[in-house]
Amino acid sequence: SDLQKQEERGELLQPLIFVLLVLCSILLYFKVSLMDPGFVKPEEEEGEDKGQGVVVPQIPGDIKLRRCGYCLVKQPMRAKHCQLCQHCVRRYDHHCPWLENCVGERNHPLFIVYLSVQLVVLLWGGHVAWSGLYFEQSREWLQHNIFLLVSFLLIFIFTIVVLLLLVSHLYLISCNTTTWEFMSHHRISYLRHSELENPFDQGIILNLWRFFC
């Protein structure tokens, strides 16, 4: 049959990979949006007092950990309270409105993977939309290709947004800083009073290794 001939020529492999990438991006979206981004729980405070809690970075200078005025937990270093999630989040990066969840210590690496997969899907989709276009200066051509044109323009816009977001996050990760720390450096006590501009920076290679591994 024609389907078997296409399979023998390898013509079905690319559409199959594309569908798998789309499914993977959807699964990653739900995974990142539904998982715990690193909420600070009251019971963890007791474990930290006994030396069994999560290890936090060294506090620069004589700055003391403060208690959150909203959820009343002792905030670990680099944590921030999110008023939308009503929780303090470890290594808080930002609250993503598209995910309706915070990006923090636990889901930040998966967020980067999601952006990477999404970028590949958008680039592939843009290539498919562009290859289906053949340009003619006529009203009939525009009527028959308006869907492809709109699709290509939307894909192009989303590709630029995702690309800029991914590049900016990879840059911040390579410096071992977060979006919140980068944007609010002057308002964060452990950064404002530190002798170093970024006391957490340990070099690009080690920063990337510790983030992803």
Side-chain angles (χ1 to χ4, degrees):
S1 64
D2 293 338
L3 191 62
Q4 289 178 332
K5 292 179 180 178
Q6 288 179 336
E7 185 178 2
E8 290 174 358
R9 292 195 299 265
E11 296 178 358
L12 297 180
L13 183 60
Q14 289 189 358
L16 180 61
I17 295 175
F18 181 76
V19 171
L20 290 175
L21 283 173
V22 172
L23 291 175
C24 182
S25 68
I26 294 173
L27 290 175
L28 283 169
Y29 172 83
F30 284 109
K31 176 67 175 176
V32 176
S33 63
L34 296 176
M35 74 181 296
D36 179 355
F39 294 137
V40 181
K41 300 177 176 61
E43 58 267 21
E44 292 177 359
E45 191 174 328
E46 298 178 1
E48 289 177 5
D49 292 339
K50 298 177 182 178
Q52 299 174 349
V54 180
V55 177
V56 297
Q58 186 66 35
I59 304 172
D62 298 324
I63 300 168
K64 296 180 179 180
L65 295 180
R66 70 184 189 91
R67 192 169 293 276
C68 177
Y70 295 97
C71 50
L72 302 179
V73 298
K74 187 183 292 183
Q75 281 187 340
M77 181 65 66
R78 312 186 78 179
K80 181 184 181 296
H81 183 86
C82 175
Q83 296 188 11
L84 294 174
C85 293
Q86 295 297 311
H87 283 286
C88 285
V89 180
R90 293 181 180 275
R91 202 180 183 279
Y92 176 87
D93 189 86
H94 71 285
H95 183 93
C96 181
W98 304 106
L99 297 172
E100 293 187 2
N101 193 14
C102 282
V103 176
E105 184 178 72
R106 295 189 62 188
N107 64 349
H108 200 172
L110 273 181
F111 179 72
I112 298 301
V113 175
Y114 164 70
L115 289 179
S116 303
V117 174
Q118 194 66 45
L119 181 61
V120 173
V121 171
L122 286 168
L123 289 172
W124 198 331
H127 172 71
V128 172
W130 180 262
S131 62
L133 290 171
Y134 57 95
F135 294 96
E136 292 181 6
Q137 293 182 351
S138 65
R139 188 172 182 179
E140 291 77 13
W141 175 90
L142 184 61
Q143 290 176 345
H144 286 94
N145 291 273
I146 187 67
F147 177 74
L148 275 177
L149 277 173
V150 172
S151 299
F152 178 78
L153 289 175
L154 287 175
I155 290 173
F156 178 78
I157 293 171
F158 287 133
T159 300
I160 296 299
V161 172
V162 173
L163 180 62
L164 292 176
L165 192 59
L166 180 60
V167 170
S168 64
H169 272 274
L170 289 176
Y171 169 75
L172 294 176
I173 292 166
S174 68
C175 300
N176 197 1
T177 189
T178 64
T179 303
W180 172 57
E181 291 171 340
F182 180 78
M183 300 294 292
S184 306
H185 188 280
H186 61 286
R187 292 191 295 147
I188 302 173
S189 58
Y190 60 81
L191 294 178
R192 190 173 67 249
H193 297 127
S194 174
E195 296 180 358
L196 301 174
E197 183 177 354
N198 180 10
F200 306 110
D201 188 6
Q202 297 178 310
I204 295 177
I205 296 177
L206 192 56
N207 290 339
L208 293 173
W209 174 263
R210 291 196 169 183
F211 180 84
F212 289 106
C213 305

